[in-house]
Amino acid sequence: MYYLDANTFIEAKNRYYHMDICPGYWQWILDSYADGSVGSIEMVLDELSKGNDELASWAKENESLFFPTDAQDVQGVMTDVSSYVASLPDLKPNAVPDFLSGADPWLVCMAKANGGVVVTHELPNPDAKKKIFLPDVCDYFDVQYINTFELLLKKEAQFVLS
């Protein structure tokens, strides 16, 4: 299972797969969800739903794509993720609460608990002090991460004009 970070939806909508330009991309996400290979989590839905645009509407209309994170195994990983990020040295005071209050730690937990892959456009930055980056936490917990374009290649996606 590939778990999509909010930035993969937002970047696609704002840039290269705008909903009016490439509706096939958005259908591909739904088709990939239907075949059990792509999804996201409820916290990402919450982030996307805060907007007042076509992406917020699309996310709300397709809320089944966004999984709950209340399973016991996922919750267990969250204990480990929280402990790990709290132990990171020399961070700015808001780095840990900012990270833990968003969807990113839960993406790591879902992927770790279910043997999945996180899909994000964030890049690793282990020396950062102001922010904890999703790929760095993935690396620590041996969770694979890729970006949207790597996912599309792995899944052999094609958006063909009819």
Side-chain angles (χ1 to χ4, degrees), residues 48-100:
L48 299 178
S49 296
K50 289 178 184 172
N52 190 21
D53 60 8
E54 63 271 2
L55 178 55
S57 298
W58 182 89
K60 291 172 191 173
E61 290 168 9
N62 296 290
E63 66 181 27
S64 63
L65 174 73
F66 302 91
F67 303 113
T69 56
D70 57 357
Q72 188 172 1
D73 55 345
V74 175
Q75 294 288 321
V77 177
M78 185 57 167
T79 301
D80 297 336
V81 169
S82 299
S83 295
Y84 168 68
V85 299
S87 75
L88 293 171
D90 304 322
L91 294 173
K92 297 293 180 185
N94 288 338
V96 171
D98 286 351
F99 181 78
L100 292 176

Side-chain angles (χ1 to χ4, degrees), residues 32-162:
S32 296
Y33 163 72
D35 77 17
S37 62
V38 170
S40 193
I41 59 172
E42 287 177 340
M43 285 74 120
V44 169
L45 172 61
D46 294 343
E47 289 179 21
L48 299 178
S49 296
K50 289 178 184 172
N52 190 21
D53 60 8
E54 63 271 2
L55 178 55
S57 298
W58 182 89
K60 291 172 191 173
E61 290 168 9
N62 296 290
E63 66 181 27
S64 63
L65 174 73
F66 302 91
F67 303 113
T69 56
D70 57 357
Q72 188 172 1
D73 55 345
V74 175
Q75 294 288 321
V77 177
M78 185 57 167
T79 301
D80 297 336
V81 169
S82 299
S83 295
Y84 168 68
V85 299
S87 75
L88 293 171
D90 304 322
L91 294 173
K92 297 293 180 185
N94 288 338
V96 171
D98 286 351
F99 181 78
L100 292 176
S101 67
D104 288 357
W106 293 103
L107 287 165
V108 175
C109 294
M110 285 291 284
K112 181 71 175 177
N114 297 305
V117 176
V118 172
V119 182
T120 184
H121 287 292
E122 278 191 25
L123 298 173
N125 189 351
D127 297 324
K129 300 300 177 200
K130 293 181 181 179
K131 179 181 192 281
I132 298 169
F133 287 83
L134 176 56
D136 297 324
V137 179
C138 286
D139 283 340
Y140 183 83
F141 286 96
D142 294 319
V143 170
Q144 184 182 0
Y145 61 91
I146 60 176
N147 66 39
T148 298
F149 307 108
E150 292 167 309
L151 172 62
L152 294 171
L153 287 169
K154 285 181 182 292
K155 293 268 301 151
E156 299 178 355
Q158 292 185 348
F159 310 124
V160 179
L161 294 173
S162 56

